[in-house]
Amino acid sequence: MSDLYDILDPWGPAASGSASAGPAPPLLAGSAGPEELARQSLDRVVLPPVYAAAYAEALAAGGGRITRDTLQSTLARARLPRHITGQIVLAADAGNDALTQRDFNLALAMAALAQKNMSPTLEGIMFHKDALPLLELDGVEAPAASDDPWLSAAANGGAAGPDAAAAAATAGLGSLALGPDSAAKERPLSPGRGALGTAGAVAATVPNISLDAAQWRLDLEDVSIKEAAEKGGIVFKHTNYEVTTRSFSSMVVRRYNDFSWMSDYLVKRYPYRMHANIPPKGFPVDRRFLDNRIKGLTRFACAILRTPFLQRDAIVIQFFTNTDEFTHVLRVGNLDTDVEEIDVDSEVGATPWAEVQQTYDALADFYRQVAQDEDKYRAQIQALEKIARYERAIGDELCAYSDTMRVANAPRESVSGSRKFHAVPAAKRALDGALNELSMSLSDVSLLEKSHGEVLKSVSAEHLRRLYDAVVSMKLMMDRMRLMDKRKPIERARERIDALRKQLAQVAADAPAADRASTERLERQVADESAELDLLEREQRRIELRFHQELARYRCYECFLHRHYRTFVDAHIKHHTLALDAWRQALATAAELPAEPRGFIL
C-alpha cells in the first residue's frame, strides 16, 4: 500500500536515521502473509499414506535430513518433466538448511497437481487442498491403512484430532443456536430426529463445515478481469472480458451473459447456500460504468473461487479453464445442473439435530440481525467514500493554494521610472525563494492527502464492500429459504392424513367388509399423502441443516474485520506520519522567512 504514496515508508530503515535499522515490521503482526498462508494450507488436511511413506524413505536416504537433492530424487519417481520438477523444488524450499515435513508434503502435493495437468504452485494447493489428486510415485508403497484416520493426520503434521482442529479454527464462533433477542423455542420433532436436552437447552457445537481460512480472506484475489481488445458478435457487438485465474494458470474470454448464467446456475444448483452477487445488467454508456462492472465481476469471480465446495464444481472449473465459448461448453459438455444432493445424516456430523432446529426456528431473529449488518456496512462504506472525496478535495485545494505561492519569473526592475525605487531588496529575494520551497512542501502535503483518499476508496472501502456483498448474499439466501420453507405444507399434509385415517376408521367401523373399494381407495390416498409428507420433511431437513451451516460461515466472515481494521489504521498512521514530516519541513521553511520590515525597503 505504501507505494501509492510514492514517498519513503516511515516504517523503513530511513525513518530511524540509521543504516543499521531493521526491516519494516509486517503490516499485520502475528498474521500470516499470502505465501505463509499457502504453506499452511495442508497442515489440517488428512493426506494419503503415500506421503508418509515417501517422507520416511527420503528421510532414510538423506541420513535423517531432507535436502533439495533428496527431494529432487523423490520427485523423479513422479515422472514429471525436469523443468516442472525444478519449479516444484524451488517453490517448496522455504530457504532453510533442510526441508521440513511441511515443505516435503507441499512438494508432493504440487507433483500430484502436475500429474493431472493442473497448476503446480502453492496457490494451486491452497485452492485444491480439499480435493487433491492422488499422487503416483514409482516404487513407493504406502503402509497398511489404519482404522483411525486421525492417526494419519498426525503423521502428516496435521491436527491432533477433530475436536482440536475445530476448536482452533472456530475460536470465537459462539453459540449458533439463538440470537440475542430470541428465546428458546420448542416444537414437535419428527420421528427419527434428536430430542432436546435438559430444560430444552442445547450446547452449541461446531457445525460440519469447511474451516479453510482462505474463504474468509476477502482481500485475496485469485482472478483478474480486464476488457478484451476485440468486441464479440457479428451484427450486435458486445464487450468481451479476459478472465485470468492464478490457481488454474488459465486465461479465458467471457462475456457478461456468461457471468449472468453462472450466477443463475449457482442459485439453481445450490439454492440453500450463500452466493456472490453479480453487478446488474446495463448498457455500457461510459468508461465509469464499464470500470465498475469489471470491479463487480472481479468480486463475483473471486468469491466463487474462495468457496471450497464451488472450487470442485465441474461447471465452475469449465468456466475458468475451458478456452471455448461458454455456450459451446454447456451445449456439448453434458454437465450436471440439477440441485445438489444433500445427505443430511452424514453432513450433520456430531451436531445434535435439536440445535439445528432451534437455529432455524430463530430465522426471523437472524434475518433482523443480517438486515442491521446490511445497514451498518452500507453506512460505513458511504462514510469512507465521503472521507475519501473530502481528502481528495483537500489535496486539490492545497495544490491550488501552493500554486499561488510560487513566484513567477518576472523582471527584477521596471523598464520605466527610477531604478532606486524599483530595485528588489535582498529580503524580498529571500522571501521569494523561501515561498517557492514552502510551496513545494505544501504540494507534498496535497499529494499525500489525495493518495490517502485513493487508499481509502480503493482499499478500505473496497474491503468493506466485499463484506457487504457477503451480508447481502446471506440475506438473499434467507429470502429463498423463506419462500421454500416446507413447515406449512407439512402441517397441511399431516392434517389431510389424519382426516383420511379418520375416514378409514369410520368406514371400517360402519361396514367392515361391505365397502372394500372405499377402504382400498382411502388406503392408497393415505399412502400417497404419507409419501408426499416424507418428501416434504426431507426437504425441510435439508433447508434447516443448510441454514445452520451457512449461518456459521456467515459469522466467520467477521474475522476479516481484524485484517480490515489493521490495514485501515496502519494506512492512517503512515499517512499522518508522512504528512507530519511534510508539515515540519514547511515549518522549518516558514521559520526562515525574513521578518524585519526594514529589509523589504533597503
Side-chain angles (χ1 to χ4, degrees):
M1 183 185 301
S2 60
D3 57 341
L4 291 175
Y5 296 108
D6 198 24
I7 296 179
L8 288 177
D9 190 344
W11 307 113
S16 65
S18 171
S20 60
L27 181 63
L28 297 176
S31 178
E35 181 177 354
E36 182 60 24
L37 187 67
R39 287 188 170 276
Q40 296 173 2
S41 56
L42 293 183
D43 288 357
R44 298 188 184 278
V45 175
V46 180
L47 298 173
V50 67
Y51 284 71
Y55 178 74
E57 290 189 16
L59 205 61
R65 62 196 302 266
I66 296 180
T67 62
R68 295 177 62 172
D69 293 338
T70 309
L71 175 60
Q72 200 146 8
S73 300
T74 302
L75 294 178
R77 303 182 180 185
R79 297 182 179 180
L80 296 174
R82 181 175 298 179
H83 70 281
I84 297 294
T85 302
Q87 175 184 342
I88 293 174
V89 172
L90 289 175
D93 188 3
N96 301 320
D97 294 337
L99 277 74
T100 63
Q101 186 171 2
R102 173 196 283 179
D103 301 334
F104 189 82
N105 288 340
L106 289 172
L108 295 187
M110 284 186 279
L113 292 175
Q115 287 178 340
K116 300 300 180 183
N117 295 322
M118 302 170 72
S119 176
T121 61
L122 294 175
E123 291 79 5
I125 294 177
M126 185 168 61
F127 285 97
H128 298 288
K129 66 184 183 63
D130 292 328
L132 284 173
L134 184 63
L135 176 66
E136 299 177 3
L137 289 179
D138 294 341
V140 178
E141 297 183 1
S146 171
D147 293 334
D148 186 0
W150 296 102
L151 293 178
S152 59
N156 288 321
D163 295 336
T170 58
L173 184 60
S175 174
L176 297 174
L178 296 173
D181 301 327
S182 59
K185 305 175 184 178
E186 295 185 30
R187 60 184 172 90
L189 300 180
S190 301
R193 297 188 178 185
L196 290 172
T198 305
V202 179
T205 58
V206 177
N208 187 21
I209 61 173
S210 171
L211 298 175
D212 181 11
Q215 63 184 306
W216 298 297
R217 281 285 307 275
L218 302 182
D219 56 334
L220 292 179
E221 291 191 356
D222 187 47
V223 182
S224 61
I225 300 177
K226 65 178 182 179
E227 182 183 1
E230 296 182 1
K231 299 285 186 180
I234 300 176
V235 178
F236 300 101
K237 298 295 183 180
H238 59 262
T239 304
N240 285 329
Y241 302 96
E242 294 180 359
V243 183
T244 304
T245 310
R246 286 189 291 274
S247 60
F248 291 120
S249 297
S250 62
M251 195 284 286
V252 297
V253 176
R254 297 287 181 257
R255 56 182 299 187
Y256 176 85
N257 288 348
D258 298 333
F259 287 93
S260 179
W261 187 95
M262 175 60 65
S263 177
D264 295 339
Y265 158 75
L266 294 178
V267 173
K268 177 183 176 182
R269 181 162 175 78
Y270 308 100
Y272 309 135
R273 292 185 182 268
M274 291 186 293
H275 296 297
N277 304 306
I278 189 171
K281 186 177 180 63
F283 187 74
V285 294
D286 55 14
R287 188 69 223 177
R288 181 179 178 183
F289 177 90
L290 190 58
D291 291 341
N292 288 335
R293 170 179 281 186
I294 290 176
K295 290 180 182 178
L297 293 178
T298 301
R299 287 196 296 267
F300 172 76
C302 291
I304 289 177
L305 291 185
R306 275 195 302 266
T307 308
F309 71 91
L310 292 182
Q311 297 168 5
R312 304 186 294 271
D313 188 279
I315 292 183
V316 170
I317 294 174
Q318 291 292 320
F319 181 84
F320 288 103
T321 59
N322 198 317
T323 56
D324 295 336
E325 289 189 8
F326 195 56
T327 53
H328 176 74
V329 174
L330 296 175
R331 188 166 55 249
V332 304
N334 193 24
L335 300 171
D336 183 16
T337 59
D338 296 334
V339 178
E340 69 166 335
E341 295 291 335
I342 304 175
D343 187 352
V344 176
D345 294 333
S346 63
E347 288 202 28
V348 72
T351 305
W353 188 258
E355 180 183 332
V356 177
Q357 280 187 310
Q358 285 190 346
T359 304
Y360 187 77
D361 285 339
L363 187 144
D365 298 317
F366 287 122
Y367 190 88
R368 287 192 292 269
Q369 294 179 19
V370 172
Q372 293 172 3
D373 290 344
E374 181 183 15
D375 296 337
K376 175 182 67 177
Y377 290 126
R378 184 193 298 116
Q380 290 180 0
I381 293 170
Q382 293 173 350
L384 280 180
E385 291 179 343
K386 185 180 293 186
I387 294 172
R389 289 196 299 270
Y390 287 161
E391 298 242 8
R392 292 197 296 269
I394 291 173
D396 291 336
E397 295 301 324
L398 274 175
C399 183
Y401 182 81
S402 66
D403 288 341
T404 64
M405 299 172 59
R406 293 191 179 94
V407 180
N409 294 324
R412 291 296 184 183
E413 298 179 357
S414 174
V415 296
S416 62
S418 173
R419 292 177 176 270
K420 177 180 178 180
F421 295 101
H422 291 279
V424 180
K428 175 61 175 174
R429 290 194 296 270
L431 177 65
D432 291 345
L435 287 178
N436 284 333
E437 293 184 8
L438 189 59
S439 173
M440 295 177 62
S441 297
L442 293 182
S443 296
D444 291 341
V445 175
S446 71
L447 289 175
L448 285 171
E449 294 294 337
K450 289 189 284 188
S451 297
H452 187 234
E454 184 62 30
V455 169
L456 288 178
K457 178 183 177 182
S458 61
V459 179
S460 300
E462 176 64 20
H463 286 174
L464 278 183
R465 193 174 295 280
R466 296 178 183 184
L467 193 56
Y468 175 80
D469 285 348
V471 175
V472 174
S473 300
M474 182 66 178
K475 189 177 180 181
L476 292 176
M477 183 203 72
M478 295 169 78
D479 287 335
R480 292 194 297 270
M481 288 183 170
R482 281 176 156 183
L483 292 174
M484 299 178 180
D485 186 84
K486 307 299 181 185
R487 287 180 293 186
K488 289 185 177 180
I490 287 174
E491 291 178 3
R492 290 194 292 267
R494 288 174 177 169
E495 291 174 357
R496 290 194 299 270
I497 292 175
D498 291 341
L500 289 171
R501 284 175 176 169
K502 289 180 181 179
Q503 293 181 25
L504 188 60
Q506 186 67 31
V507 170
D510 293 344
D515 195 357
R516 183 61 184 168
S518 298
T519 302
E520 292 178 353
R521 176 178 58 81
L522 290 173
E523 288 177 348
R524 286 196 300 271
Q525 290 180 352
V526 169
D528 294 341
E529 292 290 346
S530 298
E532 179 67 20
L533 175 62
D534 183 63
L535 292 177
L536 291 173
E537 287 185 338
R538 288 184 181 181
E539 189 65 19
Q540 182 64 21
R541 283 166 61 86
R542 296 187 185 103
I543 295 175
E544 293 176 0
L545 175 62
R546 278 290 182 254
F547 178 70
H548 184 259
Q549 294 174 337
E550 292 300 288
L551 179 62
R553 287 186 59 231
Y554 171 75
R555 288 186 163 184
C556 288
Y557 275 110
E558 290 191 326
C559 71
F560 179 70
L561 290 176
H562 164 79
R563 181 173 294 272
H564 164 69
Y565 282 113
R566 288 293 299 270
T567 306
F568 177 72
V569 175
D570 183 79
H572 274 77
I573 292 175
K574 288 185 176 182
H575 162 69
H576 289 295
T577 302
L578 293 169
L580 181 61
D581 292 340
W583 281 116
R584 283 175 175 168
Q585 179 63 37
L587 178 62
T589 304
E592 296 177 357
L593 296 177
E596 179 61 37
R598 291 175 58 86
F600 291 91
I601 301 176
L602 302 176

